[in-house]
Amino acid sequence: MKQGSFITLEGIEGAGKTTCMAQLRLLMQQAGKNYVETREPGGTELGEDLRQLLLGHKHIGMADDTELLLMFASRAEHLQQKILPALNQGQWVLCDRFTDATYAYQGGGRGIACSRIQALEDWVQKGFKPDLTLLLDLPVEQGLERAGKRSAPDRFESEAMEFFRKVRQSYLDLAGKEPGRVKIIDASLDLEEVLAQITSVVNNFLQNKP
Ligand code: Z5A
């Protein structure tokens, strides 16, 4: 039976998820929680292999449906091998991206119908969802500028501005539908202010969780 909590980080490119994961880690340590840190696509040996196929440039013309199915193949493995066993042992799971990213990228970005994604979600997750999702939101131009300062772009980062506008809007739509679970963090601000928002949301969540 699930005892730990499942927290996810979401956002467009350059939103600062990697930077903010360090803050989540710190908050877990301060609260004395036993936690595991993971990511999607990936998180398991098979998932990391799928990640390379998904993000690399080898399969540049991959069909949208293939991309969607590989995301869920990675997720099925991740859930069975890592996320659910950890939660059942009372650990907290901190995950860099999860199914909201599929709705945003494959749904909003690629234009795959939400009903198809929902069907896969129902099959693979059987109603399982994150307990808390931090959506790092910022204008697309700002995110891409931050991301552009890093290494060579992956297959997703090579998409056009319009793609990321749709991704951002899909994320905001998801937050509007599930305000109790998805908390919007203004990621356009200075790092200190972003981390303060995260601390406030997570501490509030911790206070209301056993
Ligand atoms: N994907 C998908 O399509 N469908 C799915 O279902 C899933 C994923 C699960 C891999 O994700 C790709 O998979 C992703 C969507 C797709 N698309 N792409 N690309 P990823 O999470 O591994 O890749 P990413 O989005 O590029 O994340 P990242 O590399 O971890 O970047 P980030 O976490 O958003 O940003 P960061 O590295 O923390 O920060 C970027 C820079 O900004 C860095 O230099 C920081 O120092 C700086 N920064 C951060 N915060 C600030 C603030 N507040 N002020 C100023 N500068 C800042």
Side-chain angles (χ1 to χ4, degrees):
M1 201 187 81
K2 176 174 173 287
Q3 292 164 10
S5 289
F6 183 39
I7 302 181
T8 58
L9 275 172
E10 297 282 358
I12 59 162
E13 274 54 49
K17 291 178 293 84
T18 307
T19 314
C20 291
M21 185 57 96
Q23 182 71 2
L24 271 185
R25 204 180 296 140
L26 184 73
L27 292 168
M28 290 299 115
Q29 287 162 3
Q30 284 172 353
K33 300 289 181 194
N34 198 352
Y35 65 93
V36 292
E37 212 178 301
T38 188
R39 67 175 180 181
E40 287 211 351
T44 62
E45 201 178 341
L46 173 56
E48 291 296 324
D49 286 348
L50 291 173
R51 181 184 177 93
Q52 283 193 15
L53 294 176
L54 280 159
L55 300 197
H57 291 275
K58 186 174 176 196
H59 303 288
I60 197 91
M62 182 185 298
D64 293 349
D65 283 350
T66 310
E67 184 179 283
L68 172 66
L69 289 165
L70 288 178
M71 289 294 176
F72 269 101
S74 166
R75 186 159 300 134
E77 184 75 2
H78 198 197
L79 270 169
Q80 294 306 319
Q81 306 289 353
K82 191 166 187 177
I83 297 174
L84 294 175
L87 291 171
N88 290 341
Q89 285 165 18
Q91 289 184 302
W92 285 46
V93 177
L94 313 177
C95 191
D96 188 338
R97 297 194 188 278
F98 195 63
T99 307
D100 294 316
T102 313
Y103 282 100
Y105 283 81
Q106 282 64 54
R110 303 278 189 232
I112 297 179
C114 279
S115 55
R116 281 187 159 195
I117 301 173
Q118 180 78 59
L120 289 168
E121 182 183 357
D122 291 345
W123 180 26
V124 169
Q125 295 172 221
K126 302 174 183 66
F128 175 84
K129 277 186 177 241
D131 298 295
L132 174 68
T133 296
L134 302 167
L135 171 57
L136 304 179
D137 179 61
L138 80 175
V140 170
E141 293 78 1
Q142 196 180 354
L144 293 184
E145 199 204 323
R146 284 185 194 169
K149 290 181 185 154
R150 297 176 315 187
S151 51
D154 64 31
R155 201 171 60 84
F156 285 94
E157 288 166 340
S158 306
E159 289 291 339
M161 192 73 94
E162 190 50 28
F163 176 86
F164 292 108
R165 289 213 178 89
K166 290 182 197 162
V167 171
R168 183 190 184 196
Q169 190 53 52
S170 300
Y171 268 134
L172 291 172
D173 292 345
L174 286 167
K177 279 186 208 149
E178 291 188 66
R181 172 177 71 87
V182 184
K183 303 295 181 193
I184 300 176
I185 305 291
D186 184 349
S188 70
L189 304 174
D190 286 346
L191 188 54
E192 242 174 60
E193 293 173 81
V194 174
L195 298 184
Q197 292 175 72
I198 289 182
T199 302
S200 163
V201 170
V202 172
N203 281 341
N204 189 40
F205 179 80
L206 281 161
Q207 271 166 20
N208 294 304
K209 273 266 164 188

